[in-house]
Amino acid sequence: PKRINARRMVLVSQFRPAVGKYVLELPAGLVDESDIQRDGPTAVQANAGVQDGPSGEIIADEAIDEENLESACKKAAERELYEETGLHGTANTVSPVVYSDPGLSNASVRFVRIDVESWGKYQHNSAESEQSRITTHFISASQPLQEACQIAKGRNMEIDARLYAFLAGIEEGSQMKDMTHRED
C-alpha cells in the first residue's frame, strides 16, 4: 500500500473508443435505478438529457423529487468512486445541472464533490469495468493542471475537456488569490 496525502485529487484514465485513446478524466458514472427513491413529497421533472459526469446518468424522463435526485447523485458518485478507484468517500455537494456541449447535444452533468475517507493506505488493483481498464491517478491540489498535463503527455493520453476546465479554474483561482494577498 502507498500513503496518499489528503491535499490530493483523484483522477482516472480509461480507453475511450470514440477518441481511440486513453483519456484522463474525473471518476464518473451512471445513476442506477436502485439509487433513486420515488416516494418524495414534491415531484419535479427529471432532466430528460443524459447526465454522464460524476453525478451519474439519468435516462428516464420520470417525475422524481429534487431531494431524491440529489441523494441519488451522491450515492452514485460514492459508488463510482469506489468501483473505479477502490477509494471510499462521502459526497457533500451536488452542482446544478450543467450542459457538456450544448451546441452538439443535450448531454448534461451534475458534479459531486466527495471527501475521500480512506486516503491513509491506498491499495487498489486496476479495476476492470465496462471492458476497459481503469487506472487511478493522484495529483496535487496546488498545481493540478500542470500535473494532469504531465501525466497525459507522459502516457500519450488525452484530457477530458471538463477536467481541463475544472483544473484550469483551480489554478487560476489560486493565482488570483496569491495576487490579492500580494496587494494587501
Side-chain angles (χ1 to χ4, degrees):
K2 70 179 180 180
R3 194 132 179 86
I4 306 296
N5 181 316
R7 292 290 303 152
R8 305 211 32 102
M9 298 174 67
V10 182
L11 305 178
V12 295
S13 60
Q14 57 187 312
F15 186 79
R16 294 298 189 180
V19 179
K21 294 178 100 174
Y22 279 82
V23 177
L24 190 62
E25 54 196 36
L26 293 165
L30 308 175
V31 171
D32 292 338
E33 187 67 27
S34 63
D35 296 327
I36 301 171
Q37 290 185 325
R38 302 210 177 267
D39 58 352
T42 312
V44 296
Q45 202 64 17
N47 186 332
V50 176
Q51 296 181 337
D52 60 357
S55 67
E57 181 174 278
I58 306 290
I59 296 172
D61 186 15
E62 300 175 17
I64 58 175
D65 74 65
E66 183 63 24
E67 185 177 326
N68 283 335
L69 180 56
E70 186 171 306
S71 175
C73 290
K74 287 179 177 181
K75 186 176 178 183
E78 291 169 356
R79 184 188 66 251
E80 290 292 340
L81 177 70
Y82 179 73
E83 288 175 0
E84 293 186 3
T85 70
L87 295 168
H88 293 278
T90 301
N92 56 37
T93 58
V94 178
S95 78
V97 172
V98 294
Y99 292 87
S100 304
D101 195 351
L104 297 176
S105 78
N106 67 346
S108 62
V109 177
R110 286 186 184 233
F111 290 90
V112 179
R113 180 175 176 198
I114 298 179
D115 291 325
V116 175
E117 299 167 354
S118 59
W119 285 108
K121 294 189 175 181
Y122 168 76
Q123 181 175 330
H124 184 259
N125 40 7
S126 294
E128 294 295 327
S129 174
E130 299 175 30
Q131 303 168 324
S132 66
R133 189 168 155 259
I134 299 173
T135 304
T136 305
H137 306 273
F138 300 96
I139 59 173
S140 75
S142 61
Q143 293 186 318
L145 182 59
Q146 181 180 344
E147 287 187 37
C149 289
Q150 288 173 348
I151 290 169
K153 184 178 180 183
R155 297 187 177 146
N156 194 29
M157 287 188 242
E158 301 300 329
I159 299 177
D160 179 82
R162 292 165 293 202
L163 173 62
Y164 189 93
F166 177 69
L167 298 179
I170 290 171
E171 286 196 8
E172 185 66 26
S174 178
Q175 290 173 4
M176 292 178 84
K177 183 179 174 184
D178 290 344
M179 290 170 51
T180 302
H181 287 301
R182 284 187 211 137
E183 291 174 5
D184 292 344

